Amino acid sequence: LNVEEKVVATLGRDGGVQGLEVKGDLQLMVSDPNSGKMTVAVSFGTNAGFQFKTHPNINKQLFAEQSVLGLKDASRSFPPGNALGVLKWRLQTTEANMVPLTVNCWPSMAGDGTCEVSMEYELVRQMELQGVTMTIPFPPGCDAPRVTCEDGEATYSARNNALVWAIPLISKSNPSGTLEFSVAGGGPRGLFSLPLGS
C-alpha cells in the first residue's frame, strides 16, 4: 500500500485561512499473484468534511458498510505488479483548525522605504509534512529581496515575482522555523496572501 496526500493552503497576512484543500490517494500493488483476491480494511479516524471515492472496480457497498476495499467481482484478482489507485479523498475548507501548521508574518517598514519581514512556521498537529513550499508573492516593481533563511532554502523567482521558501521536512523533531527578508519597493499589503503546499 502506498499513501500520497497533498495539502494546499492559502493564508492571509494575519494567519487567517482563505482556503485549504487536501487531496489523497491510496494505491495498492500486489506483488504475489496468489494474493490478488485480497481485501484491505482501512481505518479512517475522524474525517468530518472529507469526501471519499473508490475505484469503479471496488465494491462500494463493502467499503461504505465495513471500510473494506475489495473488488466488486470477488472472483477476480487485483492485477499483480501494477500499482492501482483504489481510493481517493478530498477536503476543501476555510477552517483554521484544519491547517497542520501556523505561519506568522511580521512585516515592518524601515525608514529607507524597505519592507522588512520576519516569518515563522510552527507545526500544530502531530504529523510529518514533506516537501513544504511557501510562496510569498511580491508586488510589481520590487527588487530581489535580501534573505536570511535558518530552515530550508529560500529562492527568489524574478519570473514569478515571488520568494519561494522550501522546507524538506516539518515534523516533531523540526516543528518550527524562521525566514527573514527585506525588499525595497513594496509594502506589507502587496506581499500577502500566502499560498503554501505540501
Side-chain angles (χ1 to χ4, degrees):
L1 292 175
N2 182 47
V3 176
E4 289 186 22
E5 193 168 62
K6 184 175 183 176
V7 179
V8 177
T10 302
L11 308 176
R13 180 173 104 174
D14 297 323
V17 178
Q18 295 175 354
L20 170 69
E21 181 177 56
V22 178
K23 288 184 177 181
D25 184 36
L26 175 66
Q27 295 185 358
L28 170 70
M29 187 168 88
V30 176
S31 55
D32 178 5
N34 296 323
S35 300
K37 292 185 179 181
M38 73 172 75
T39 59
V40 178
V42 290
S43 176
F44 296 111
T46 304
N47 289 296
F50 279 83
Q51 299 170 337
F52 294 92
K53 300 281 184 194
T54 58
H55 186 281
N57 290 336
I58 296 294
N59 184 329
K60 293 183 186 325
Q61 184 177 356
L62 181 65
F63 176 73
E65 293 174 358
Q66 300 177 34
S67 297
V68 172
L69 297 166
L71 289 171
K72 247 192 280 192
D73 181 352
S75 67
R76 291 181 58 197
S77 296
F78 286 103
N82 294 322
L84 176 67
V86 292
L87 181 66
K88 292 182 179 187
W89 57 94
R90 183 174 181 223
L91 168 74
Q92 287 185 303
T93 185
T94 56
E95 293 182 35
N97 65 341
M98 299 294 286
V99 178
L101 52 91
T102 59
V103 179
N104 290 305
C105 304
W106 300 91
S108 61
M109 293 302 293
D112 62 358
T114 301
C115 183
E116 298 177 354
V117 179
S118 294
M119 293 180 62
E120 66 179 346
Y121 67 82
E122 185 175 358
L123 188 65
V124 293
R125 296 182 153 225
Q126 293 298 317
M127 59 177 42
E128 183 176 282
L129 302 173
Q130 298 177 6
V132 176
T133 58
M134 297 185 209
T135 304
I136 301 101
F138 284 29
C142 283
D143 297 329
R146 290 187 311 274
V147 180
T148 303
C149 184
E150 291 182 14
D151 302 280
E153 184 177 303
T155 55
Y156 177 71
S157 169
R159 184 173 150 213
N160 296 324
N161 210 32
L163 181 65
V164 178
W165 186 12
I167 304 123
L169 178 67
I170 299 175
S171 65
K172 185 178 179 181
S173 62
N174 181 38
S176 62
T178 59
L179 169 75
E180 294 181 353
F181 64 90
S182 60
V183 63
R189 292 195 187 277
L191 294 173
F192 302 96
S193 61
L194 174 65
L196 62 96
S198 169

